[in-house]
Amino acid sequence: MTFDLKKAYLSSSDQVVKHLEVDPQEGLRSGTVRKRLKKYGRNQLREAARKSGWLIFFHQFKSLIVILLALAAILSLAFHEWMDAIAIFVVILFNALIGFFTEIKAVRSMEALRNLTRVNCRVRRNGHVREISAVNLVPGDVVILEGGDVVTADMRLLEASKLQVNESSLTGESVPVEKRSDIIEEETVLAERSNMLFKGTAITRGSAVGVVTGTGMDTELGRISALVEAAEEERTPLEVRLDQLGHNLIWVTLVLTVIVAGTGILRGKETFLMISTAIALAVAAIPEGLPIVATIALARGMLRMARRNALINRLASVETLGATSIICTDKTGTLTENRMTVQTMRTLTDQVDCRHRNRNGKKIFKEGDSDCRPLEIPAFKQAVLTGLLCNNAALAADDKHKHTGDPLEIALLQLGRDLGIEQADVLKENPRVGEEAFDAESKMMATLHRADSKILVAVKGAPETVLEASSRVCMTEGSKTLDADDKKAWSELNHKMAEEGYRVLAMASKTVDDTETNPYENLQLTALIGLVDPPRGDVAESIQTCQQAGIRVVMVTGDQPVTARKVAGAVGLAEPEEIVVEGKDLRAYEELSDEERRDLRGINIYARVDPEQKLDIIQLHQDAGAIVAMTGDGVNDAPALKKADIGVAMGLRGTQVARETADMVLKDDAFATIVAAIQQGRIIFNNIRKFVVYLLSCNISEIIVVAVASFIKAPMPLLPLQILFLNLVTDIFPALALGMGAGDRNIMDHPPRDAKEAIVTRPHWLFIIAVGLLLALSVLSAFSIALFVLKMEEKQAITVSFLTLAFAQLWHVFNMRDNGSSLLRNDIVRNPYVWGAVALCVMLLLAAISIPVLSGALKIAMPDATAWALILGMSLVPFVVIQVYRSLRRDGRNTGEND
């Protein structure tokens, strides 16, 4: 039978060292180490390759619209239209540079977060204890560990003395877990392998000796790292939609150019003229400003989010946040503060609530609905003092510095501080003279203190063992014997508190004559203390906002079901009796029936899940068409962060792996920042939709003008370079202003849009075509009047059509107001960027007809007074028609509502 080191927890320590051919007292020999280094490699994870600047730069050209622009430029070069080709290439380069400088800043910021610290460890080799670099560990190395050490490889415990390990980054368990070297009889989940130590975790208490069973990518941490690499990275919806738009534009452009050029040539028109016309159509069909405006709008959104403490890694991820319909969130450090706090103290007759604070942040203690002073209740006073005495943690002077020690003990010290008692003062009155360290067998800890001529024994531990060791109980007046009925009642109280999601500690004490007395007998029970890792203060409000916005929040955690349900209920994520699905009850995704998948999609809490199951849960919702955001901070979250449509990592508490994998990093770790980012994402999508509709309606008008002129025997009203000028000047600046709008303040009162909804829907296309026809009719009418009625020269008539379209497109930006808004009070009129864009475009148009170099390249001339009157009059016609139509439509709706 083959020995599997990954299941070393199922074997005795003797069997493991025998398989690894190592003597625990001597360690490996140097020759064996060299051979195993060659076989297994260095003890390090594969690092993501550093993104080169060139790679980031070339990534900016992976857009169908950019490719289409490049084809148009190449076609212009082929027919010696040098100015057109140069202008198009400048547009492409400008767009790429904007995206490049924005994205490389984010990429380099993330690379700067990498932890480059060199970690050492103590091993036995050649019969001696020596300190070596952790990267040189090999399977079979015997490692010596103490409190404060970081575990640098996966190990099977050989010896463990009062050992506790913080595995929160790997399993999601917020409280240090006890470890021992005993064999485990059956296969179990990672979080319950009590005789194993895992790479990346930390020793919080005790000491241990372990033999290395896995290094590098063969560790549990390495397995998660491999899942991150294997997890398929989802393309963002915006990338998909813009590519779809690009595909559509390619076909529209090809069909138009072939029809127009072919028809003209068949009708006997000059071949070069028709090819030039085809180029003009191609230029008109492509919204050259779209990539630039989309990039700048996303970059601005990225900067807005950075100011709100959200660092975005990819531009397109900004918009995807707005489509988010489900947030799969970890519990520890995301919904909770990742620190234990005392929330209740209870006896059979009294109960103190320790959760509240006043406006100044000072703790308020309540008994029922009334404020109370716990120190005036003898049992609670003694329990608090016991928590301060029986304690090895250290509380920093203020919150700016880090507390040290076990989280449970830190919570007890904080309780004392909130009540105005410092540990140092208590120890000064009752100096410690002895300690019975916490033992996994007894599940208790005791400290002995000088109290005048007596010895005070302070004990804390698991309620069931402390209760068993107690013979009396503290009362308001002295104490009384703890009889069988009392013990049953205390046991039931403990069970009730555990069901409420508390981690329960029992506090007891006694006074003896000397230090030789057994500390764990004839104790006086004082109180039960309930601790939790509390929800973050702003989470409940943020989840409520998500629910109002039609966004589901699903908890996916490695913690216990009871704890998960308690936190979910506290933040408003689920009902008190909510069903919790455990990881052990989840089968592989591909094995689930359609009905089982439908049922699982309705679950709000998943507990005790492993990294692969997190991937399955995300896939479960993605297959139903949901846009899934995944939040987390631990190593165990990294594969899911990559698989999700949007991965959101915590910047303060987050591990390096999580931060580098995520699409967004929260610099303040606040769940509320996610909600603000989603709001910005929605605003950005609406802004993108507005400027896409604006750009396309302007381009449709140009297509119609050129197409109509090519079918009749008339001069071209617009030339290719003029169209390009319009697309890059009078189109791009108003479109950019639309992209920078502040958006609707009530946007989070609406559900997320359908994930499959196109940027331009059928109603939008109808509006685009209608506006395009109006603009084209106005331009062709102005051109005809100038050429045939006013008998202008062809150059002057072309100038009239060019400026009529330019100004008509400028006025058209005010048609982009939201439905239901008034002409003078709407988001467009309130947008200062729109007014700035209109003013800038007017100046650029005046410069184009005034500066000889520009007017010569564009083949236009300065209009006279008659021409100006015609230009301004005809350019206002589409705007007036659309506004009248909207007013009539709104009045009709209001009348219908009143009826």
Side-chain angles (χ1 to χ4, degrees):
M1 182 177 176
T2 305
F3 192 92
D4 187 357
L5 283 175
K6 291 184 176 60
K7 295 183 179 180
Y9 62 92
L10 296 173
S11 303
S12 68
S13 56
D14 290 340
Q15 290 174 315
V16 175
V17 296
K18 181 179 179 181
H19 173 76
L20 289 169
E21 299 177 345
V22 60
D23 180 349
Q25 302 305 317
E26 294 290 323
L28 295 175
R29 296 292 175 183
S30 299
T32 305
V33 171
R34 286 193 294 270
K35 290 177 182 178
R36 293 189 181 182
L37 265 176
K38 188 175 180 180
K39 179 180 179 180
Y40 296 103
R42 291 167 73 84
N43 179 33
Q44 57 190 17
L45 304 180
R46 286 194 294 268
E47 289 188 356
R50 188 176 188 268
K51 273 190 175 181
S52 71
W54 286 109
L55 185 64
I56 295 171
F57 180 71
F58 285 123
H59 179 75
Q60 309 307 314
F61 298 94
K62 293 175 64 176
S63 163
L64 279 172
I65 293 178
V66 171
I67 294 171
L68 195 56
L69 281 172
L71 291 174
I74 293 169
L75 193 60
S76 298
L77 285 175
F79 290 95
H80 307 292
E81 298 290 338
W82 309 115
M83 289 296 294
D84 292 7
I86 291 171
I88 295 172
F89 279 128
V90 168
V91 171
I92 295 172
L93 182 62
F94 184 53
N95 171 71
L97 288 174
I98 293 172
F100 168 74
F101 285 114
T102 306
E103 190 167 330
I104 197 169
K105 183 178 180 181
V107 169
R108 294 297 178 252
S109 296
M110 293 307 299
E111 289 175 352
L113 290 173
R114 286 181 179 170
N115 182 5
L116 301 178
T117 304
R118 189 180 182 89
V119 180
N120 291 337
C121 60
R122 290 193 302 151
V123 300
R124 285 186 187 137
R125 285 186 179 174
N126 301 315
H128 301 286
V129 176
R130 60 181 63 182
E131 188 171 292
I132 66 168
S133 172
V135 297
N136 294 322
L137 281 177
V138 296
D141 261 324
V142 177
V143 182
I144 301 168
L145 295 154
E146 294 179 348
D149 288 346
V150 174
V151 181
T152 52
D154 283 5
M155 306 176 197
R156 171 65 165 88
L157 283 171
L158 304 179
E159 301 172 20
S161 175
K162 308 184 191 317
L163 184 64
Q164 288 190 341
V165 182
N166 184 343
E167 295 183 338
S168 60
S169 67
L170 195 64
T171 66
E173 173 66 64
S174 56
V175 177
V177 294
E178 297 169 10
K179 296 285 186 175
R180 61 185 69 185
S181 60
D182 300 344
I183 188 172
I184 297 174
E185 299 296 340
E186 57 185 19
E187 291 194 26
T188 185
V189 295
L190 184 71
E192 296 174 2
R193 296 174 191 171
S194 58
N195 58 12
M196 294 292 295
L197 298 178
F198 301 107
K199 182 179 176 71
T201 60
I203 308 295
T204 59
R205 173 186 282 178
S207 60
V209 177
V211 61
V212 175
T213 58
T215 58
M217 296 301 291
D218 288 330
T219 61
E220 290 296 328
L221 182 61
R223 185 170 61 86
I224 293 174
S225 178
L227 284 174
V228 175
E229 295 174 0
E232 183 180 351
E233 189 167 351
E234 302 294 322
R235 297 181 70 214
T236 67
L238 180 63
E239 291 172 321
V240 173
R241 291 188 185 94
L242 287 178
D243 273 358
Q244 287 174 344
L245 183 60
H247 276 294
N248 294 336
L249 288 175
I250 285 176
W251 287 110
V252 169
T253 303
L254 288 174
V255 171
L256 279 173
T257 52
V258 169
I259 290 176
V260 171
T263 303
I265 292 172
L266 290 175
R267 293 184 62 186
K269 289 192 175 183
E270 186 182 345
T271 301
F272 179 75
L273 173 63
M274 295 317 301
I275 290 176
S276 297
T277 302
I279 293 174
L281 270 174
V283 172
I286 305 168
E288 287 86 354
L290 180 56
I292 295 174
V293 177
T295 301
I296 292 177
L298 291 172
R300 178 171 172 75
M302 186 173 176
L303 291 174
R304 279 179 178 174
M305 291 183 189
R307 295 190 189 107
R308 293 292 301 270
N309 293 315
L311 176 63
I312 306 295
N313 286 338
R314 285 202 306 157
L315 281 180
S317 300
V318 174
E319 178 274 336
T320 310
L321 278 163
T324 300
S325 54
I326 290 179
I327 300 176
C328 290
T329 175
D330 188 28
K331 177 188 69 67
T332 305
T334 307
L335 297 180
T336 66
E337 297 180 359
N338 198 23
R339 64 179 181 87
M340 300 302 292
T341 61
V342 176
Q343 291 212 335
T344 184
M345 294 190 290
R346 299 183 189 180
T347 67
L348 295 182
T349 56
D350 297 290
Q351 176 175 328
V352 174
D353 187 344
C354 312
R355 295 175 298 173
H356 306 285
R357 291 185 180 274
N358 62 18
R359 293 180 180 178
N360 298 322
K362 186 177 180 180
K363 180 83 80 171
I364 300 173
F365 297 91
K366 289 183 175 292
E367 189 167 16
D369 295 328
S370 305
D371 291 356
C372 74
R373 298 181 178 180
L375 297 182
E376 293 180 358
I377 303 172
F380 293 149
K381 179 179 181 180
Q382 189 57 47
V384 172
L385 292 173
T386 298
L388 295 174
L389 292 169
C390 187
N391 200 310
N392 286 324
L395 211 57
D398 52 56
D399 291 335
K400 295 180 181 179
H401 298 85
K402 191 175 181 180
H403 309 311
T404 58
D406 183 279
L408 294 174
E409 293 189 336
I410 290 173
L412 296 174
L413 295 183
Q414 187 63 57
L415 174 65
R417 177 171 290 179
D418 290 333
L419 288 166
I421 308 175
E422 293 289 340
Q423 182 189 37
D425 296 332
V426 178
L427 287 174
K428 188 175 182 181
E429 291 184 15
N430 303 106
R432 182 183 293 189
V433 294
E435 175 185 344
E436 188 73 22
F438 179 87
D439 182 77
E441 294 291 339
S442 66
K443 296 183 179 179
M444 290 184 288
M445 172 186 175
T447 53
L448 288 74
H449 304 265
R450 181 72 60 188
D452 296 328
S453 60
K454 299 286 187 176
I455 299 297
L456 173 64
V457 181
V459 176
K460 72 172 187 291
E464 58 272 17
T465 56
V466 174
L467 193 58
E468 186 65 29
S470 299
S471 59
R472 302 189 66 80
V473 59
C474 183
M475 304 296 290
T476 304
E477 298 292 339
S479 64
K480 60 166 278 191
T481 301
L482 195 65
D483 59 29
D485 290 339
D486 290 332
K487 287 191 175 185
K488 182 180 179 182
W490 279 93
S491 181
E492 289 174 352
L493 177 61
N494 172 44
H495 183 68
K496 179 183 177 183
M497 291 176 67
E499 284 186 335
E500 292 175 11
Y502 291 111
R503 187 176 179 89
V504 187
L505 278 180
M507 315 303 288
S509 63
K510 67 177 179 179
T511 301
V512 296
D513 295 325
D514 58 62
T515 58
E516 301 301 320
T517 306
N518 183 350
Y520 300 138
E521 64 180 15
N522 297 321
L523 293 171
Q524 177 177 287
L525 181 65
T526 54
L528 299 185
I529 292 181
L531 304 97
V532 297
D533 179 7
R536 296 171 65 90
D538 53 3
V539 167
E541 182 181 351
S542 299
I543 288 179
Q544 185 178 9
T545 302
C546 287
Q547 291 168 344
Q548 290 174 350
I551 301 168
R552 274 188 65 202
V553 181
V554 178
M555 181 191 292
V556 183
T557 179
D559 214 336
Q560 298 285 354
V562 172
T563 308
R565 186 187 285 112
K566 171 76 173 178
V567 173
V571 300
L573 190 154
E575 297 297 325
E577 301 302 320
E578 188 81 18
I579 295 173
V580 180
V581 172
E582 292 190 59
K584 65 181 182 180
D585 300 322
L586 284 174
R587 291 183 297 147
Y589 182 70
E590 58 274 7
E591 297 176 6
L592 297 173
S593 66
D594 291 341
E595 184 177 354
E596 287 175 318
R597 292 179 184 182
R598 281 194 300 270
D599 291 342
L600 285 173
R601 289 186 185 113
I603 298 299
N604 291 323
I605 309 173
Y606 294 90
R608 280 305 200 211
V609 295
D610 60 30
E612 293 97 332
Q613 290 170 332
K614 289 186 179 184
L615 294 175
D616 287 346
I617 292 168
I618 290 173
Q619 186 70 50
L620 183 77
H621 292 292
Q622 286 178 334
D623 285 352
I627 298 298
V628 181
M630 168 70 190
T631 72
D633 61 353
V635 175
N636 58 324
D637 298 321
L641 289 174
K642 185 174 181 180
K643 174 64 179 172
D645 298 285
I646 288 290
V648 185
M650 303 296 142
L652 296 177
R653 293 186 176 93
T655 58
Q656 175 188 330
V657 176
R659 291 196 302 263
E660 292 185 351
T661 305
D663 299 292
M664 180 171 79
V665 178
L666 305 183
K667 293 188 286 186
D668 58 358
D669 285 11
F671 195 85
T673 303
I674 301 171
V675 180
I678 289 174
Q679 181 179 18
Q680 278 298 315
R682 290 187 175 189
I683 290 171
I684 287 167
F685 181 82
N686 284 350
N687 289 345
I688 289 174
R689 172 171 277 170
K690 282 181 181 178
F691 69 64
V692 167
V693 169
Y694 172 78
L695 288 173
L696 290 179
S697 54
C698 292
N699 284 43
I700 286 289
S701 67
E702 296 161 3
I703 292 170
I704 294 171
V705 168
V706 173
V708 169
S710 67
F711 282 114
I712 62 176
K713 293 182 178 181
M716 293 290 288
L718 295 171
L719 304 177
L721 200 56
Q722 292 175 355
I723 294 172
L724 192 60
F725 183 86
L726 290 174
N727 288 358
L728 295 178
V729 177
T730 58
D731 287 2
I732 194 171
F733 290 112
L736 184 57
L738 291 173
M740 298 173 76
D744 183 3
R745 296 174 183 174
N746 300 318
I747 199 166
M748 291 299 281
D749 292 338
H750 307 289
R753 65 184 181 276
D754 188 335
K756 297 179 181 178
E757 183 177 302
I759 294 177
V760 183
T761 63
R762 187 172 181 273
H764 294 120
W765 278 115
L766 293 175
F767 177 76
I768 288 167
I769 293 169
V771 171
L773 286 169
L774 275 173
L775 292 174
L777 182 61
S778 178
V779 171
L780 291 171
S781 298
F783 182 68
S784 299
I785 293 170
L787 195 62
F788 301 115
V789 177
L790 300 178
K791 305 296 183 181
M792 292 184 182
E793 294 180 1
E794 185 176 311
K795 186 175 184 180
Q796 281 285 355
I798 290 173
T799 301
V800 168
S801 60
F802 168 72
L803 290 176
T804 298
L805 182 56
F807 281 103
Q809 291 179 349
L810 280 182
W811 313 144
H812 175 47
V813 73
F814 295 101
N815 293 326
M816 303 312 298
R817 61 185 171 92
D818 290 329
N819 290 328
S821 60
S822 66
L823 175 61
L824 299 178
R825 300 182 66 181
N826 56 71
D827 58 325
I828 305 300
V829 172
R830 289 194 298 265
N831 187 343
Y833 297 105
V834 167
W835 292 103
V838 170
L840 177 62
C841 289
V842 169
M843 289 189 289
L844 290 172
L845 287 170
L846 293 176
I849 57 177
S850 304
I851 300 174
V853 175
L854 287 175
S855 60
L858 294 171
K859 299 178 183 178
I860 54 177
M862 176 66 74
D864 56 22
T866 303
W868 272 118
L870 179 60
I871 290 165
L872 294 176
M874 294 306 294
S875 68
L876 282 169
V877 170
F879 173 75
V880 172
V881 171
I882 293 171
Q883 294 304 321
V884 169
Y885 169 76
R886 280 196 158 183
S887 297
L888 292 173
R889 189 181 181 191
R890 190 177 64 171
D891 290 344
R893 283 181 174 175
N894 291 339
T895 302
E897 288 170 3
N898 293 333
D899 290 341

